[in-house]
PDB file of all heavy atoms in Angstrom:
ATOM      1  N   THR Z  68      87.538-152.302 -50.374  1.00 95.00           N
ATOM      2  CA  THR Z  68      88.726-152.564 -51.131  1.00 95.00           C
ATOM      3  C   THR Z  68      89.638-153.220 -50.145  1.00 95.00           C
ATOM      4  O   THR Z  68      89.588-153.179 -48.877  1.00 95.00           O
ATOM      5  CB  THR Z  68      89.384-151.300 -51.718  1.00 95.00           C
ATOM      6  OG1 THR Z  68      89.555-150.367 -50.633  1.00 95.00           O
ATOM      7  CG2 THR Z  68      88.477-150.615 -52.715  1.00 95.00           C
ATOM      8  N   PHE Z  69      90.682-153.859 -50.623  1.00 89.00           N
ATOM      9  CA  PHE Z  69      91.880-154.363 -49.932  1.00 89.00           C
ATOM     10  C   PHE Z  69      92.947-153.362 -50.043  1.00 89.00           C
ATOM     11  O   PHE Z  69      93.134-152.868 -51.116  1.00 89.00           O
ATOM     12  CB  PHE Z  69      92.304-155.667 -50.454  1.00 89.00           C
ATOM     13  CG  PHE Z  69      91.481-156.877 -49.918  1.00 89.00           C
ATOM     14  CD1 PHE Z  69      90.387-157.296 -50.661  1.00 89.00           C
ATOM     15  CD2 PHE Z  69      91.892-157.513 -48.886  1.00 89.00           C
ATOM     16  CE1 PHE Z  69      89.619-158.372 -50.068  1.00 89.00           C
ATOM     17  CE2 PHE Z  69      91.186-158.643 -48.213  1.00 89.00           C
ATOM     18  CZ  PHE Z  69      90.023-159.110 -49.020  1.00 89.00           C
ATOM     19  N   ASN Z  70      93.719-153.144 -48.967  1.00 87.00           N
ATOM     20  CA  ASN Z  70      94.939-152.261 -49.032  1.00 87.00           C
ATOM     21  C   ASN Z  70      96.128-153.283 -48.989  1.00 87.00           C
ATOM     22  O   ASN Z  70      96.026-154.549 -48.897  1.00 87.00           O
ATOM     23  CB  ASN Z  70      95.042-151.256 -47.921  1.00 87.00           C
ATOM     24  CG  ASN Z  70      95.186-151.751 -46.563  1.00 87.00           C
ATOM     25  OD1 ASN Z  70      95.618-153.013 -46.248  1.00 87.00           O
ATOM     26  ND2 ASN Z  70      94.861-151.017 -45.559  1.00 87.00           N
ATOM     27  N   LEU Z  71      97.365-152.747 -49.174  1.00 85.00           N
ATOM     28  CA  LEU Z  71      98.639-153.471 -49.125  1.00 85.00           C
ATOM     29  C   LEU Z  71      98.902-154.302 -47.924  1.00 85.00           C
ATOM     30  O   LEU Z  71      99.770-155.136 -47.975  1.00 85.00           O
ATOM     31  CB  LEU Z  71      99.727-152.608 -49.610  1.00 85.00           C
ATOM     32  CG  LEU Z  71      99.513-151.991 -50.986  1.00 85.00           C
ATOM     33  CD1 LEU Z  71     100.719-151.102 -51.273  1.00 85.00           C
ATOM     34  CD2 LEU Z  71      99.463-153.142 -52.116  1.00 85.00           C
ATOM     35  N   LYS Z  72      98.328-153.900 -46.847  1.00 87.00           N
ATOM     36  CA  LYS Z  72      98.526-154.605 -45.551  1.00 87.00           C
ATOM     37  C   LYS Z  72      97.511-155.797 -45.389  1.00 87.00           C
ATOM     38  O   LYS Z  72      97.460-156.209 -44.232  1.00 87.00           O
ATOM     39  CB  LYS Z  72      98.404-153.616 -44.420  1.00 87.00           C
ATOM     40  CG  LYS Z  72      99.308-152.438 -44.482  1.00 87.00           C
ATOM     41  CD  LYS Z  72      99.021-151.448 -43.264  1.00 87.00           C
ATOM     42  CE  LYS Z  72      99.746-150.228 -43.504  1.00 87.00           C
ATOM     43  NZ  LYS Z  72      99.435-149.181 -42.373  1.00 87.00           N
ATOM     44  N   ALA Z  73      96.874-156.077 -46.391  1.00 85.00           N
ATOM     45  CA  ALA Z  73      95.867-157.267 -46.315  1.00 85.00           C
ATOM     46  C   ALA Z  73      94.749-156.893 -45.310  1.00 85.00           C
ATOM     47  O   ALA Z  73      94.012-157.721 -44.662  1.00 85.00           O
ATOM     48  CB  ALA Z  73      96.351-158.599 -45.873  1.00 85.00           C
ATOM     49  N   GLU Z  74      94.381-155.564 -45.222  1.00 93.00           N
ATOM     50  CA  GLU Z  74      93.227-155.050 -44.519  1.00 93.00           C
ATOM     51  C   GLU Z  74      92.104-154.811 -45.422  1.00 93.00           C
ATOM     52  O   GLU Z  74      92.288-154.395 -46.692  1.00 93.00           O
ATOM     53  CB  GLU Z  74      93.624-153.828 -43.697  1.00 93.00           C
ATOM     54  CG  GLU Z  74      94.784-153.975 -42.730  1.00 93.00           C
ATOM     55  CD  GLU Z  74      95.273-152.671 -42.308  1.00 93.00           C
ATOM     56  OE1 GLU Z  74      95.266-151.599 -43.046  1.00 93.00           O
ATOM     57  OE2 GLU Z  74      95.826-152.727 -41.135  1.00 93.00           O
ATOM     58  N   ILE Z  75      90.935-154.784 -44.995  1.00 96.00           N
ATOM     59  CA  ILE Z  75      89.624-154.424 -45.771  1.00 96.00           C
ATOM     60  C   ILE Z  75      89.272-152.981 -45.362  1.00 96.00           C
ATOM     61  O   ILE Z  75      89.100-152.669 -44.207  1.00 96.00           O
ATOM     62  CB  ILE Z  75      88.641-155.464 -45.511  1.00 96.00           C
ATOM     63  CG1 ILE Z  75      89.121-156.802 -45.974  1.00 96.00           C
ATOM     64  CG2 ILE Z  75      87.383-155.115 -46.361  1.00 96.00           C
ATOM     65  CD1 ILE Z  75      88.256-157.931 -45.475  1.00 96.00           C
ATOM     66  N   VAL Z  76      89.131-152.095 -46.484  1.00 97.00           N
ATOM     67  CA  VAL Z  76      88.771-150.713 -46.191  1.00 97.00           C
ATOM     68  C   VAL Z  76      87.410-150.597 -46.641  1.00 97.00           C
ATOM     69  O   VAL Z  76      87.088-150.866 -47.861  1.00 97.00           O
ATOM     70  CB  VAL Z  76      89.635-149.774 -46.905  1.00 97.00           C
ATOM     71  CG1 VAL Z  76      89.274-148.311 -46.710  1.00 97.00           C
ATOM     72  CG2 VAL Z  76      91.168-150.031 -46.510  1.00 97.00           C
ATOM     73  N   ILE Z  77      86.443-150.266 -45.748  1.00 97.00           N
ATOM     74  CA  ILE Z  77      84.992-150.028 -46.115  1.00 97.00           C
ATOM     75  C   ILE Z  77      84.871-148.493 -46.108  1.00 97.00           C
ATOM     76  O   ILE Z  77      85.056-147.790 -45.102  1.00 97.00           O
ATOM     77  CB  ILE Z  77      84.194-150.596 -44.985  1.00 97.00           C
ATOM     78  CG1 ILE Z  77      84.403-152.066 -44.887  1.00 97.00           C
ATOM     79  CG2 ILE Z  77      82.632-150.372 -45.356  1.00 97.00           C
ATOM     80  CD1 ILE Z  77      83.791-152.756 -43.716  1.00 97.00           C
ATOM     81  N   CYS Z  78      84.505-147.991 -47.246  1.00 97.00           N
ATOM     82  CA  CYS Z  78      84.253-146.486 -47.346  1.00 97.00           C
ATOM     83  C   CYS Z  78      82.770-146.329 -47.602  1.00 97.00           C
ATOM     84  O   CYS Z  78      82.105-146.843 -48.512  1.00 97.00           O
ATOM     85  CB  CYS Z  78      85.073-145.983 -48.551  1.00 97.00           C
ATOM     86  SG  CYS Z  78      84.673-144.254 -48.925  1.00 97.00           S
ATOM     87  N   ILE Z  79      82.177-145.466 -46.688  1.00 96.00           N
ATOM     88  CA  ILE Z  79      80.641-145.244 -46.809  1.00 96.00           C
ATOM     89  C   ILE Z  79      80.564-143.672 -46.817  1.00 96.00           C
ATOM     90  O   ILE Z  79      81.061-142.928 -45.971  1.00 96.00           O
ATOM     91  CB  ILE Z  79      79.919-145.793 -45.519  1.00 96.00           C
ATOM     92  CG1 ILE Z  79      80.179-147.345 -45.388  1.00 96.00           C
ATOM     93  CG2 ILE Z  79      78.485-145.463 -45.655  1.00 96.00           C
ATOM     94  CD1 ILE Z  79      79.620-148.081 -46.478  1.00 96.00           C
ATOM     95  N   ARG Z  80      79.635-143.218 -47.775  1.00 95.00           N
ATOM     96  CA  ARG Z  80      79.363-141.863 -47.832  1.00 95.00           C
ATOM     97  C   ARG Z  80      78.052-141.538 -47.195  1.00 95.00           C
ATOM     98  O   ARG Z  80      77.058-142.250 -47.441  1.00 95.00           O
ATOM     99  CB  ARG Z  80      79.240-141.464 -49.429  1.00 95.00           C
ATOM    100  CG  ARG Z  80      80.674-141.258 -49.964  1.00 95.00           C
ATOM    101  CD  ARG Z  80      80.612-140.681 -51.368  1.00 95.00           C
ATOM    102  NE  ARG Z  80      80.302-141.797 -52.354  1.00 95.00           N
ATOM    103  CZ  ARG Z  80      81.107-142.711 -52.861  1.00 95.00           C
ATOM    104  NH1 ARG Z  80      82.266-142.926 -52.167  1.00 95.00           N
ATOM    105  NH2 ARG Z  80      80.678-143.609 -53.736  1.00 95.00           N
ATOM    106  N   ASP Z  81      78.034-140.556 -46.357  1.00 90.00           N
ATOM    107  CA  ASP Z  81      76.718-140.263 -45.679  1.00 90.00           C
ATOM    108  C   ASP Z  81      75.890-139.266 -46.663  1.00 90.00           C
ATOM    109  O   ASP Z  81      76.225-139.086 -47.781  1.00 90.00           O
ATOM    110  CB  ASP Z  81      77.017-139.448 -44.327  1.00 90.00           C
ATOM    111  CG  ASP Z  81      77.742-138.269 -44.436  1.00 90.00           C
ATOM    112  OD1 ASP Z  81      77.761-137.553 -45.498  1.00 90.00           O
ATOM    113  OD2 ASP Z  81      78.244-137.779 -43.523  1.00 90.00           O
ATOM    114  N   LYS Z  82      74.777-138.893 -46.051  1.00 87.00           N
ATOM    115  CA  LYS Z  82      73.896-138.006 -46.920  1.00 87.00           C
ATOM    116  C   LYS Z  82      74.383-136.795 -47.463  1.00 87.00           C
ATOM    117  O   LYS Z  82      73.896-136.220 -48.420  1.00 87.00           O
ATOM    118  CB  LYS Z  82      72.581-137.684 -46.052  1.00 87.00           C
ATOM    119  CG  LYS Z  82      71.768-138.966 -45.805  1.00 87.00           C
ATOM    120  CD  LYS Z  82      70.587-138.674 -44.855  1.00 87.00           C
ATOM    121  CE  LYS Z  82      69.963-139.967 -44.482  1.00 87.00           C
ATOM    122  NZ  LYS Z  82      68.920-139.842 -43.567  1.00 87.00           N
TER     123      LYS Z  82
END
Side-chain angles (χ1 to χ4, degrees):
T68 57
F69 277 88
N70 67 17
L71 296 175
K72 299 177 190 175
E74 300 169 329
I75 300 168
V76 180
I77 303 168
C78 174
I79 303 294
R80 286 185 278 292
D81 62 20
K82 291 176 183 172

